[in-house]
């Protein structure tokens, strides 16, 4: 059976799938309700009154309360339907009756309330339940008008707590959406009354009541985002037509502002939120007498039409509740109005409570509030006005609550609260954050915390800047806040406090916000300075679209520019009004021809003007000034303003002049404007004028200490009789004015140095007026539109503040905060190209590295290891140098100072400089522009923990560790080792080498500055006595300089001048070999080697620089000659094709020539020359002559073997082929004119060649001398293809052949055998060369007029040679050879018809002279050559055959060689 029942039970549940509530089973619910009935009855029976009724003999056996409960008991088990379909009133009514009844005691009421609470939490009632609206209304009505007899305080508190519990459950239940606006107001009202009563009750009830009030407000306002324009749409059970009518109603009710002057029925007034106040007064003993605090429509609020109050709740009740909460803040005015019976501390408690509730409402209503004008206007005006007042409270609790609310309002509604937020910052935050305005330390701290919270909102500062600082009519709040933060972070003559750190946090939050925006685009958008081309009225500048950055950003920047110019104009104006206006005309802010309106607007909208001067100007009787005055008055908005308020505002803007006429003019203008806008009860503008005058007089009377007898109210009213167009003004109107002036003076003298203004009621009214007209609030997104301008304003104070805090700080977390700040500043400066700021930052940071301090510490390395701040600063400096080096300028000097200090301490990785260069060598092949491996490669940097001495990383510490030093040293302690380890880790993190290896990616300007800084750091090379340390520094800087030069070969033009001058300085000022000059010379050579292939346009420049090497002091040159030559040789071999110009070759060849006489260097030098000249590989017309000179120097050099001299001669001789090749190429390729010029050049080159060989022919060494002669012969005879001009040959005979013969002769006769061995052989060779060349050229030369002279020269040399005495006696070989050669020559001349006897005069002379000389040499020759005329032919043929037959090549024509006789050939 049991099991079956169980199953059927399960089935029963399964059959009702549509009921998903946990208590869906009807029987279960019935049982639960039944048990609640039982509980209530049980408590009632314990009471004698209820228990005794059964015995009495009344008609009615039982009390109606008990009857209804019992009746319900009967019914519940008979209901067959779902509980949804049963009217909740049926099962709630008996309980509600018990609650309402004033006969029940507290315990019974308490149990009944618990039962209702339980039923509510069963979720039986939701918005779909039948008749739910009525049931909920009944429930609220019953609970809020709960009555009971109070027996003891404790039970009363229990009932009150249960009332709170039930009311909260009502609001939280699913059916709460069916509550009407009126019900919700009643619930809140009741709850507040319990809060109020709880003041005299127990602590628990107080807490509970306040908690409930909070929860209610949260529940109600969390509903706001769901309330559309038609909030009834949420209700499921309402039919459509009803819903439509509701929505219309609501639109009428709170969709428009015009309602404020609507006239609604007054009969409803009493039934506002306090509908049940009278009947509810018995909710507890102290309930009466608190009506004024209840939620009700006071005289200020306009009631809603009745219908919205009975509709499902929405905006109407929220407006009422919010208004009520704001009115709780008006309590300030009532302080001290008499003692309160309860213990609520009114000075702090009520405002705090109200502020907490308001904050909850704003948090949950959030941005939806802006869609409901009535709610929004409450916040804009009443709430904010109260917040401003409480903002200056002495209580830190209230202040922090106010700041929290303002932060929420900023977050949700800032676009609607522009001027209110400005006022809050100006009048509250900026006043309270500084002690000089009398704020306590606690107030300062709270205000500063609030400000920092605002700064942490990413776009806060940008929006403040864009909307306030860039608005002519607003104050520079951003500037003031930024200055405040940086000043507050400065510890002046005091230790660092939490306040300083707090301000620093705010400052860094702003900076980091900017740094984050940097990556979001629009950084370099448009920082072109704003200029005004022509005049436009500055107060009318408008933006086309406040939501599109491409419109609002330029607009805002333009407005800021105008504002700045106006401030400068104000400054000029204060010194001299006329010049001030002229200045503004010059900047196009005022028109060239001044008009009244523009001047009036300048006075009205420019801050910082001297109010006395403005007053004088406006009061002047000059016609233009009067017009300006009227325009000035026209800028005010006095709509719906009291006369005294309007007057206060008007007179705040300038100082009222003292003269009565001026006062009259000013007040006339004011009255006209006031009457125009707010006539109210004034008959005409004269009435306004008289009343204004009267107010000024009353003001003086009441507030001037010299006036002893003060005017009474009656006097004032009497004085103003009949002024309103002949009638009197209403007495209460005048009375109100009288009291307003008495209470609050109209200040006619401006406050001097007041700093931030106080918010007076009249200023608040003005603010509300302005807020209708002010430019819309611009919302910024996360891009860096205005950061450049903002950062420029705050960067200086910010760096200073962070630096000072960093300097004073002692905790790691503060260090880290500062470092984050520094890095953010660096990032922003770099991205916005603010080089000066970045330099300042670098300078500041370098001071903290301690590396620049003169080292007084014994062990600087260990001191550095122990100094966290210094290490952090060092890493930061190098991080900035690596990340943002592009924008560092003068800062490089400081960075280099740090690097040099590390270098001196032996802490730099040994190869920082060489890496920088070598890596670029590696990457040269792999393509340009490829980023190098960052930081030190693992090979170069010793791994942390295992310091490798070989790397030279730790000059100092290795000494500390090594025990081989002269004096025994103790082992380093653990702390020292740890400190050193920290130092090494720090240096490794710095990646110092990357600065140089990555320099190829630096921007040009920065690179140039880095190079200049290196040159500057190296110092000027001293002549004598510089310390080894200085030299070491100079060498190190030079290494780095060369490294970056090599790394930037594509931009060498940029660096070259500076680098060259620096190296030149070193070279020219050094007289002894040293590391510096060595580095300079070889660095220069390396630069040339590496850059020649890439920079052909710079080749000359680079090679010319090598002339510095030639200027080296002899001792220095000698020391490095061999290595220099090897480098030059390498350079030539690698780059010969890239050296094109004569200038370049001149440098190279002169360097090589210099080595010819150097024992060690000559081999390498000759090797390079061989490379250039062998086979004419790299001979060019540009370098030909230079190479000849160099070869000659090697040929003449006695250093090395004679064999090398002979090779040098071979190079010279071989070069003739090059000349011949060029000559033939010239003929084919070039136009005539160029060909002529080129062949001339070739001729000259050839002449230089043979002249060079001539000099070597005089060498002391026999084999060299003789080889030179043979080479000369080759060069003189092997030139047929070159077509050298006759004149050149004549020159050649004079300068080369004859000179050589003469010189040799002289040597043979004048020097001892010891110096010149075997001169005879040389003379023979020389003699053979003469006729050979002569005969080869005979056909051409014989035609010349100077032939005779040339021929005589040949004869005279032969004559000398035959007579020569070698070692005192004549040479037999020459005695034989000369006649033989002469005979040969004469025969050829005869054959060619050159030597013939002619009758002509000229011919005779050649003939006669010839024989004159020949006879001196060999008298028999004439008969041999010309035996006689008859047998001429035969002798001619046979003799020629005889003489010439013995030659190797015996043909006479001029294009063939005319060889020497056989004997002569063997002479060499």
């Amino acid at each position: 059976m049991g099991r079956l029942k169980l199953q059927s039970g399960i089935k029963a549940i399964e059959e009702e799938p549509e009921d998903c509530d946990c208590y869906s089973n009807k029987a279960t619910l019935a049982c639960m309700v039944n048990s609640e009935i039982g509980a209530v009855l049980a408590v009632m029976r314990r009471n004698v009154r209820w228990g005794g009724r059964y015995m009495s003999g009344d008609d009615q056996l039982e009390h109606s309360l008990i009857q209804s409960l019992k009746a319900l008991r009967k019914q519940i088990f008979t209901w067959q339907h779902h509980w949804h379909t049963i009217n909740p009133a049926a099962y709630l009514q008996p309980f509600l009756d018990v609650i309402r009844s004033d006969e029940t005691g507290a315990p019974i009421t308490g149990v009944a309330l618990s039962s209702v609470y339980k039923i509510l939490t069963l979720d039986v009632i939701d918005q779909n339940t039948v008749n739910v609206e009525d049931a909920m209304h009944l429930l609220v009505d019953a609970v809020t008008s709960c009555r009971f007899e109070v027996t003891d305080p404790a039970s009363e508190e229990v009932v009150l707590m249960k009332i709170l519990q039930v009311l909260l459950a009502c609001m939280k239940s699913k059916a709460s959406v069916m509550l009407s606006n009126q019900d919700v107001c009643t619930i809140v009202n009741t709850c507040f009354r319990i809060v109020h009563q709880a003041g005299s009750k127990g602590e628990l009830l107080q807490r509970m009541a306040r908690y409930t009030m909070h929860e209610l407000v949260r529940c109600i306002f969390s509903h706001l985002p769901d309330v559309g324009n038609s909030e009834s749409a949420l209700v499921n059970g309402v039919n459509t037509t009803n819903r439509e009518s509701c929505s219309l109603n609501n639109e009428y009710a709170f969709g428009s502002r015009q309602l404020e002057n609507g006239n609604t029925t007054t009969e409803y007034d009493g039934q506002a939120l306090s509908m049940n106040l009278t009947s509810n007064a018995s909710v507890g003993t102290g309930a009466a007498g608190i009506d004024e605090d209840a939620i009700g429509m006071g005289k200020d609020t306009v009631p809603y039409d009745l219908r919205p109050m009975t509709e499902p709740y929405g905006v109407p009740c929220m407006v009422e509740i919010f208004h009520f909460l704001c009115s709780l803040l008006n309590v300030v005015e009532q302080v001290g109005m008499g003692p309160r019976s309860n213990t609520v501390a009114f000075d702090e408690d009520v405002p705090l409570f109200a502020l907490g509730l308001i904050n909850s409402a704003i948090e949950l209503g959030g941005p939806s509030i802006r869609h409901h004008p009535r709610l929004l206007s409450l916040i804009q005006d009443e709430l904010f006005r109260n917040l401003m007042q409480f903002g200056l409270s002495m209580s830190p609790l209230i202040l922090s609550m106010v700041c929290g609310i303002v932060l929420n309002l900023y977050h949700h509604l800032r676009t609607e609260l522009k001027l209110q937020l400005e006022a809050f910052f100006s009048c509250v935050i900026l006043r309270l954050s500084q002690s000089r305005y009398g704020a306590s330390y606690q107030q300062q701290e709270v205000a500063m915390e609030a400000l920092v919270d605002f700064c942490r909102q990413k776009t806060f500062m940008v929006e403040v800047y864009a909307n306030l600082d860039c608005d002519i009519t607003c104050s520079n709040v951003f500037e003031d806040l930024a200055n405040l933060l940086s000043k507050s972070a400065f510890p002046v003559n005091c230790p660092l406090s939490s306040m300083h750190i707090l301000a620093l946090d705010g400052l860094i939050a702003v900076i980091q916000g900017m740094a984050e925006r940097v990556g979001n685009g629009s950084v370099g958008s448009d920082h072109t300075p704003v200029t005004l081309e022509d005049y436009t009225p500055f107060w009318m500048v408008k933006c086309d679209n406040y939501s599109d950055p491409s419109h609002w950003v330029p607009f805002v920047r333009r407005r800021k520019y105008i504002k700045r110019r106006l401030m400068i104009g104000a400054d000029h104006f204060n010194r001299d009004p006329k010049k001030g206006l002229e200045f503004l005309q010059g900047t196009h802010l005022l028109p060239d021809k001044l008009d009244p309106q523009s001047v009036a607007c300048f006075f009205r909208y420019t801050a910082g003007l001297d109010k006395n001067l403005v007053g004088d100007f406006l009061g002047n009787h000059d016609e233009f000034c009067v017009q300006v005055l009227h325009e000035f008055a026209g800028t005010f908005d006095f709509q719906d303003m009291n006369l005294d308020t309007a007057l206060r505002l008007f007179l705040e803007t300038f100082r009222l002049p003292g003269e009565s006429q001026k006062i009259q003019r000013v007040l006339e203008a004011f009255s006209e404007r006031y009457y125009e806008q707010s006539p109210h009860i004034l008959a005409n503008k004269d009435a306004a004028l008289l009343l204004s005058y009267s107010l000024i007089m009353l003001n003086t009377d009441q507030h001037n200490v010299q006036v002893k007898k003060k005017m009474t109210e009656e006097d004032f009213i009497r004085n103003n009789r009949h002024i309103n167009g002949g009638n009197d003004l209403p007495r209460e109107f005048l009375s109100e004015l009288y009291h307003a002036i008495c209470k609050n003076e109209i200040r006619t003298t401006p406050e001097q140095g007041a700093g931030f203004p106080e918010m007076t009621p009249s200023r608040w009214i003005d603010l509300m007026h302005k807020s209708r007209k002010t430019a819309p609030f611009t919302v910024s997104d996360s891009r860096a539109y205005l950061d450049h301008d903002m950062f420029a304003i705050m960067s200086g104070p910010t760096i200073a503040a962070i630096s000072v805090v960093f300097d004073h700080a002692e905790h790691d977390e503060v260090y880290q905060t500062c470092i984050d700040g520094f890095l953010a500043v660096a990032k922003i400066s770099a991205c916005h190209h603010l080089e000066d700021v970045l330099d300042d930052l670098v300078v500041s940071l370098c001071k903290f590295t301690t590396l620049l301090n003169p080292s007084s510490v014994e062990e600087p390395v260990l001191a550095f290891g122990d100094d966290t701040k210094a290490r952090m600063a060092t890493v930061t400096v190098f991080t900035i140098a690596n990340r943002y080096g592009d924008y560092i300028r003068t800062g490089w000097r400081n960075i280099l100072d740090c690097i040099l200090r590390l270098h001196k301490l032996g802490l730099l990785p040994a190869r920082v400089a060489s890496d920088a260069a070598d890596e670029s060598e590696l990457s040269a092949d792999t393509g340009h522009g490829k980023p190098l491996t960052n930081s030190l490669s693992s090979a170069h940097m010793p791994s942390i923990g295992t310091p490798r001495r070989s790397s030279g990383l730790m000059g100092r510490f290795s000494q500390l560790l090594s025990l081989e030093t002269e004096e025994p040293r103790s082992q380093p302690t653990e702390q020292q080792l740890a400190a050193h380890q920290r130092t090494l880790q720090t240096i490794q993190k710095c990646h110092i080498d990357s600065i140089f290896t990555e320099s190829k990616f630096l921007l040009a300007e920065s690179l140039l500055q880095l190079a200049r800084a290196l040159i500057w750091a190296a110092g000027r090379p001293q002549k004598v006595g510089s310390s080894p340390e200085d030299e070491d520094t100079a060498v190190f800087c030079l290494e780095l300089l060369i490294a970056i030069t090599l790394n930037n070969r594509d931009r060498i033009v940029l660096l070259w001048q500076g680098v060259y001058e620096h190296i030149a300085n070193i070279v020219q000022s050094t007289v002894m070999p040293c590391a510096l000059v060595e580095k300079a010379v070889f660095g220069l050579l390396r630069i040339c080697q590496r850059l020649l292939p890439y920079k052909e346009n710079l080749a000359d420049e680079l090679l010319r620089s090598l002339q510095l090497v030639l200027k080296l002091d002899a001792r220095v040159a000698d020391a490095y000659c061999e290595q220099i030559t090897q480098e030059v040789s390498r350079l030539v071999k690698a780059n010969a094709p890239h050296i094109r110009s004569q200038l370049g070759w001149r440098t190279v060849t002169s360097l090589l020539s210099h080595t010819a006489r150097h024992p060690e260097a000559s081999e390498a030098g000759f090797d390079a020359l061989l490379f250039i000249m062998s086979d004419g590989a790299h001979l060019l017309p540009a370098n030909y002559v230079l190479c000849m000179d160099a070869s000659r120097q090697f040929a003449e050099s006695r250093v090395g073997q004679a064999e090398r001299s002979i090779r040098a001669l071979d190079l010279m001789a071989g070069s003739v082929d090059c000349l011949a090749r060029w000559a033939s190429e010239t003929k084919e390729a070039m136009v005539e004119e160029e060909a002529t010029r080129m062949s001339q050049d070739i001729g000259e080159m050839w002449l230089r060649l043979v002249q060079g060989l001539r000099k070597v022919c005089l060498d002391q060494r026999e084999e060299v001398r003789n080889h030179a002669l043979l080479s000369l012969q080759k060069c003189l005879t092997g030139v047929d293809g070159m077509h050298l001009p006759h004149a050149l040959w004549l020159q050649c005979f004079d300068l080369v052949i004859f000179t050589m013969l003469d010189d040799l002769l002289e040597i043979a006769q004048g020097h001892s055998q010891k110096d010149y061995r075997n001169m005879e052989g040389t003379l023979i060779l020389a003699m053979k060369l003469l006729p050979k060349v002569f005969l080869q050229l005979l056909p051409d030369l014989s035609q010349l007029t100077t032939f005779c002279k040339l021929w005589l020269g040949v004869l005279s040399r032969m004559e000398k040679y035959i007579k020569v005495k070698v070692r005192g006696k004549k040479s037999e070989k020459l005695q034989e050879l000369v006649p033989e050669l002469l005979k040969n020559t004469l025969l050829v001349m005869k054959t060619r018809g050159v030597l013939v006897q002619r009758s002509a005069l000229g011919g005779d002379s050649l003939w006669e002279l010839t024989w004159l000389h020949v006879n001196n040499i060999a008298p028999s020759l004439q008969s041999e050559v010309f035996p006689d005329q008859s047998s001429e032919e035969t002798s001619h043929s046979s003799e020629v055959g005889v003489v010439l037959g013995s030659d190797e090549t015996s043909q006479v024509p001029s294009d063939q060689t005319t060889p020497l006789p056989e004997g002569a050939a063997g002479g060499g």
Side-chain angles (χ1 to χ4, degrees), residues 1184-1196:
Y1184 185 85
V1185 173
L1186 299 165
C1187 289
M1188 290 311 116
D1189 285 349
S1191 314
R1192 177 179 61 72
Q1193 298 218 16
F1194 276 102
E1196 289 173 347

PDB file of all heavy atoms in Angstrom, residues 1184-1196:
ATOM      1  N   TYR A1184      97.490  56.254 -62.933  1.00  0.00           N
ATOM      2  CA  TYR A1184      98.668  55.753 -63.636  1.00  0.00           C
ATOM      3  C   TYR A1184      99.947  56.431 -63.134  1.00  0.00           C
ATOM      4  O   TYR A1184     100.888  55.777 -62.666  1.00  0.00           O
ATOM      5  CB  TYR A1184      98.497  55.984 -65.142  1.00  0.00           C
ATOM      6  CG  TYR A1184      99.609  55.378 -65.948  1.00  0.00           C
ATOM      7  CD1 TYR A1184      99.562  54.039 -66.335  1.00  0.00           C
ATOM      8  CD2 TYR A1184     100.735  56.120 -66.298  1.00  0.00           C
ATOM      9  CE1 TYR A1184     100.599  53.469 -67.042  1.00  0.00           C
ATOM     10  CE2 TYR A1184     101.779  55.565 -67.008  1.00  0.00           C
ATOM     11  CZ  TYR A1184     101.705  54.225 -67.377  1.00  0.00           C
ATOM     12  OH  TYR A1184     102.730  53.659 -68.065  1.00  0.00           O
ATOM     13  N   VAL A1185      99.952  57.740 -63.223  1.00  0.00           N
ATOM     14  CA  VAL A1185     101.176  58.484 -62.864  1.00  0.00           C
ATOM     15  C   VAL A1185     101.540  58.213 -61.406  1.00  0.00           C
ATOM     16  O   VAL A1185     102.706  58.026 -61.047  1.00  0.00           O
ATOM     17  CB  VAL A1185     100.943  59.994 -63.094  1.00  0.00           C
ATOM     18  CG1 VAL A1185     102.124  60.793 -62.570  1.00  0.00           C
ATOM     19  CG2 VAL A1185     100.716  60.252 -64.571  1.00  0.00           C
ATOM     20  N   LEU A1186     100.466  58.163 -60.549  1.00  0.00           N
ATOM     21  CA  LEU A1186     100.707  57.944 -59.118  1.00  0.00           C
ATOM     22  C   LEU A1186     101.344  56.582 -58.886  1.00  0.00           C
ATOM     23  O   LEU A1186     102.281  56.436 -58.092  1.00  0.00           O
ATOM     24  CB  LEU A1186      99.375  58.034 -58.355  1.00  0.00           C
ATOM     25  CG  LEU A1186      98.672  59.398 -58.473  1.00  0.00           C
ATOM     26  CD1 LEU A1186      97.227  59.275 -58.020  1.00  0.00           C
ATOM     27  CD2 LEU A1186      99.396  60.448 -57.625  1.00  0.00           C
ATOM     28  N   CYS A1187     100.837  55.587 -59.610  1.00  0.00           N
ATOM     29  CA  CYS A1187     101.398  54.238 -59.442  1.00  0.00           C
ATOM     30  C   CYS A1187     102.837  54.176 -59.951  1.00  0.00           C
ATOM     31  O   CYS A1187     103.682  53.473 -59.381  1.00  0.00           O
ATOM     32  CB  CYS A1187     100.557  53.212 -60.189  1.00  0.00           C
ATOM     33  SG  CYS A1187      98.961  52.967 -59.392  1.00  0.00           S
ATOM     34  N   MET A1188     103.108  54.924 -61.038  1.00  0.00           N
ATOM     35  CA  MET A1188     104.481  54.949 -61.555  1.00  0.00           C
ATOM     36  C   MET A1188     105.426  55.509 -60.480  1.00  0.00           C
ATOM     37  O   MET A1188     106.487  54.968 -60.219  1.00  0.00           O
ATOM     38  CB  MET A1188     104.582  55.842 -62.810  1.00  0.00           C
ATOM     39  CG  MET A1188     103.901  55.264 -64.017  1.00  0.00           C
ATOM     40  SD  MET A1188     104.359  53.551 -64.302  1.00  0.00           S
ATOM     41  CE  MET A1188     102.817  52.742 -64.090  1.00  0.00           C
ATOM     42  N   ASP A1189     104.988  56.597 -59.869  1.00  0.00           N
ATOM     43  CA  ASP A1189     105.842  57.195 -58.836  1.00  0.00           C
ATOM     44  C   ASP A1189     106.068  56.215 -57.694  1.00  0.00           C
ATOM     45  O   ASP A1189     107.188  56.070 -57.188  1.00  0.00           O
ATOM     46  CB  ASP A1189     105.172  58.456 -58.274  1.00  0.00           C
ATOM     47  CG  ASP A1189     105.265  59.610 -59.260  1.00  0.00           C
ATOM     48  OD1 ASP A1189     106.017  59.474 -60.247  1.00  0.00           O
ATOM     49  OD2 ASP A1189     104.585  60.639 -59.049  1.00  0.00           O
ATOM     50  N   ALA A1190     104.984  55.545 -57.316  1.00  0.00           N
ATOM     51  CA  ALA A1190     105.125  54.605 -56.205  1.00  0.00           C
ATOM     52  C   ALA A1190     106.056  53.464 -56.587  1.00  0.00           C
ATOM     53  O   ALA A1190     106.952  53.085 -55.823  1.00  0.00           O
ATOM     54  CB  ALA A1190     103.741  54.066 -55.826  1.00  0.00           C
ATOM     55  N   SER A1191     105.876  52.922 -57.786  1.00  0.00           N
ATOM     56  CA  SER A1191     106.737  51.810 -58.218  1.00  0.00           C
ATOM     57  C   SER A1191     108.189  52.264 -58.240  1.00  0.00           C
ATOM     58  O   SER A1191     109.099  51.542 -57.852  1.00  0.00           O
ATOM     59  CB  SER A1191     106.380  51.336 -59.628  1.00  0.00           C
ATOM     60  OG  SER A1191     105.004  51.201 -59.728  1.00  0.00           O
ATOM     61  N   ARG A1192     108.408  53.497 -58.752  1.00  0.00           N
ATOM     62  CA  ARG A1192     109.772  53.998 -58.816  1.00  0.00           C
ATOM     63  C   ARG A1192     110.384  54.037 -57.420  1.00  0.00           C
ATOM     64  O   ARG A1192     111.531  53.665 -57.217  1.00  0.00           O
ATOM     65  CB  ARG A1192     109.778  55.407 -59.422  1.00  0.00           C
ATOM     66  CG  ARG A1192     111.155  56.046 -59.476  1.00  0.00           C
ATOM     67  CD  ARG A1192     111.101  57.402 -60.107  1.00  0.00           C
ATOM     68  NE  ARG A1192     110.260  58.345 -59.373  1.00  0.00           N
ATOM     69  CZ  ARG A1192     110.595  58.884 -58.200  1.00  0.00           C
ATOM     70  NH1 ARG A1192     111.741  58.583 -57.628  1.00  0.00           N
ATOM     71  NH2 ARG A1192     109.797  59.744 -57.601  1.00  0.00           N
ATOM     72  N   GLN A1193     109.539  54.450 -56.440  1.00  0.00           N
ATOM     73  CA  GLN A1193     110.080  54.529 -55.084  1.00  0.00           C
ATOM     74  C   GLN A1193     110.471  53.146 -54.586  1.00  0.00           C
ATOM     75  O   GLN A1193     111.490  52.969 -53.921  1.00  0.00           O
ATOM     76  CB  GLN A1193     109.044  55.143 -54.142  1.00  0.00           C
ATOM     77  CG  GLN A1193     108.705  56.556 -54.567  1.00  0.00           C
ATOM     78  CD  GLN A1193     108.511  57.480 -53.387  1.00  0.00           C
ATOM     79  OE1 GLN A1193     108.903  57.156 -52.283  1.00  0.00           O
ATOM     80  NE2 GLN A1193     107.951  58.647 -53.660  1.00  0.00           N
ATOM     81  N   PHE A1194     109.636  52.136 -54.935  1.00  0.00           N
ATOM     82  CA  PHE A1194     110.013  50.773 -54.546  1.00  0.00           C
ATOM     83  C   PHE A1194     111.255  50.311 -55.300  1.00  0.00           C
ATOM     84  O   PHE A1194     112.114  49.630 -54.750  1.00  0.00           O
ATOM     85  CB  PHE A1194     108.849  49.803 -54.790  1.00  0.00           C
ATOM     86  CG  PHE A1194     107.869  49.773 -53.649  1.00  0.00           C
ATOM     87  CD1 PHE A1194     106.657  50.446 -53.723  1.00  0.00           C
ATOM     88  CD2 PHE A1194     108.178  49.094 -52.482  1.00  0.00           C
ATOM     89  CE1 PHE A1194     105.771  50.439 -52.662  1.00  0.00           C
ATOM     90  CE2 PHE A1194     107.284  49.067 -51.419  1.00  0.00           C
ATOM     91  CZ  PHE A1194     106.083  49.751 -51.509  1.00  0.00           C
ATOM     92  N   ALA A1195     111.373  50.695 -56.579  1.00  0.00           N
ATOM     93  CA  ALA A1195     112.538  50.302 -57.378  1.00  0.00           C
ATOM     94  C   ALA A1195     113.812  50.927 -56.800  1.00  0.00           C
ATOM     95  O   ALA A1195     114.872  50.295 -56.738  1.00  0.00           O
ATOM     96  CB  ALA A1195     112.343  50.730 -58.826  1.00  0.00           C
ATOM     97  N   GLU A1196     113.714  52.149 -56.349  1.00  0.00           N
ATOM     98  CA  GLU A1196     114.892  52.839 -55.829  1.00  0.00           C
ATOM     99  C   GLU A1196     115.220  52.420 -54.399  1.00  0.00           C
ATOM    100  O   GLU A1196     116.324  52.638 -53.926  1.00  0.00           O
ATOM    101  CB  GLU A1196     114.652  54.360 -55.840  1.00  0.00           C
ATOM    102  CG  GLU A1196     114.633  54.955 -57.235  1.00  0.00           C
ATOM    103  CD  GLU A1196     114.215  56.419 -57.229  1.00  0.00           C
ATOM    104  OE1 GLU A1196     113.702  56.878 -56.184  1.00  0.00           O
ATOM    105  OE2 GLU A1196     114.395  57.093 -58.244  1.00  0.00           O
TER     106      GLU A1196
END
